[in-house]
Amino acid sequence: MNRKTLVLPALAGLLAPALAACGSSDGTGSGGSPIVVGVASQIEATKEAPAPLDPAAAYDIDAWNVLRSAFQTLMRVPRSGTAPVPEAAESCGFRDTQNEQYRCTLRSGLKFSNGHALTATDVKFSIDRLRTINYTNGPVSLLNDVDRVETPSDREVVFHLTKPDATFPQKLATPAAAIVDSQVYPKNALYKGWETVGSGPYTLKTEHGGDRLSKADFTKNPEYKGGLTVKNDKVEMRFFDDSADMEQALRKGQIDLLSRGLTPKQVKGLQNSGDKHLMLQEMPGQEIRYLAFNTNDPAVSNKAVRQAIAQVVNRSQLVRDVYSYTADPLYSLVPTGVTGHINSFFTKYGNPNVAAARQTLQQAGINTPVKFTLTYSKNHYGSSTAKEFAALQQQLNSSKLFDVTIKGIDRWQQFRTDESDHKYAAFGMGWFADLPDADNYLAPFVGKGNFLNSPYRNDKIESQLIPGTRQQTDRNAAAAGFKQVQDILADDVPFLPLWQGKQYVAARDNITGVEWAVNSTSALQIWELGRGVSS
């Protein structure tokens, strides 16, 4: 998902007493005005992406945060920790030693928001539909290893996988596996527009202006049957064009909480605001940013060019000058804190070294300066992105080895479509993990049907290393295979990791449950929020 951050359980436990003390009530949030959550991003319905809230198409963090509250999945990631637990399912588990057959039993009495019964038929329909539609830029790659789905009874679902996959329970916890009503959603086409029919903890109504979602109203679903405890009656999600406007709305009490999108300057301002009615919490994060290369583009098709770029880029300068240390340098697609991480890019290239980059290019017989364009999304990842790419341009051009221009794209869906169509030589992307496992920072980026539609291929990664790690139920045992993948990517440089973000949650002091506002996949857990008493 170009989407998702890790809130460590130990840290959440330490934060809980301090946060709970601010709003001394039962935290139920029942009655009264809705809890208002701000989002500094846009969800759009466009010609390229006409169904932004259809689980078969949605694949970014903001849309997924909407879907998680409106739909159920068989499994879910708990409020803390990483091991998935049953949600629409009563129980789930592998039924063979090879991790190739996964069986779930549904809870009894499940219903969609329109009153229709939710049965195993709907689960099978939802998975089959995702794979049949096979939407470009959608989340179908997460469930590519499903061979077939069987429904022995109305409450039993059996997944047969084409190959072992110990991460399959975690994939069933993502909105890619959201259960839709087979009587409403078309089998072979997207459900266009803004309406949803789900069975999640909330019913959803939306407001939109033109092709943009402006507000999402969540109302506690009285028919919900799942594993969550919903601690409020209503939540309103408002979408802002600008993080500065969102911050001002928080300061004025027009919104109650925001979980991402703040610029480094705003983070510092909130830390030093002196406003006793605001609280800002820093949490460890697993959001990553990276450059991706079209390895078929003549400008960067030679591996030596990409290696030289890796030798010039100064990550420490980026996180200092652009992000004011609200991020940390990253030397692998797998962030620190995730089992299997190694600093493969630092091991291979060390600190920035222009002389070494020059030698790399000379040995490959490449004339300098190498000319290409770095492309980025102007608004999807926040207003600091433009400054970041200006800094990258300066670093590369000052080496005299490159002649780089930068180009910002206004509309996110246009950016994603053009990237997938291989129109960019090099471009910037971010990633929030779909699931808290090293597999999800590696497997989506390689092989046929990969998330970026990247032409990069490596047979050892695709046919040996990733399949081997997926046979390991003990994820610590998979670390050796993950390390090999990271070393190969550091040598081939189809992607260049830049930095790993920290997670910030800002809220009014009368909001309870802030310590559980995001889980280990950076999913926004609005059901944990309540309204207490201002200090």
Side-chain angles (χ1 to χ4, degrees), residues 310-325:
Q311 289 170 306
V312 170
V313 166
N314 190 328
R315 298 167 178 82
S316 297
Q317 187 182 76
L318 286 180
V319 301
R320 182 193 68 204
D321 297 346
V322 178
Y323 291 100
S324 301
Y325 299 108

Side-chain angles (χ1 to χ4, degrees), residues 20 53 89 152 168 231 261 342 363 397 409 419 439 446 463 496 507:
L53 297 183
F168 188 68
K231 298 179 180 179
I342 58 171
Q363 289 177 343
N397 288 352
I409 305 298
E419 167 273 309
D439 178 275
V446 296
S463 64
L496 182 65

Side-chain angles (χ1 to χ4, degrees), residues 177-196:
I179 305 168
V180 303
D181 187 344
S182 58
Q183 299 180 61
V184 173
Y185 283 73
K187 179 179 180 181
N188 300 313
L190 294 176
Y191 192 59
K192 298 178 182 180
W194 302 102
E195 301 303 315
T196 60

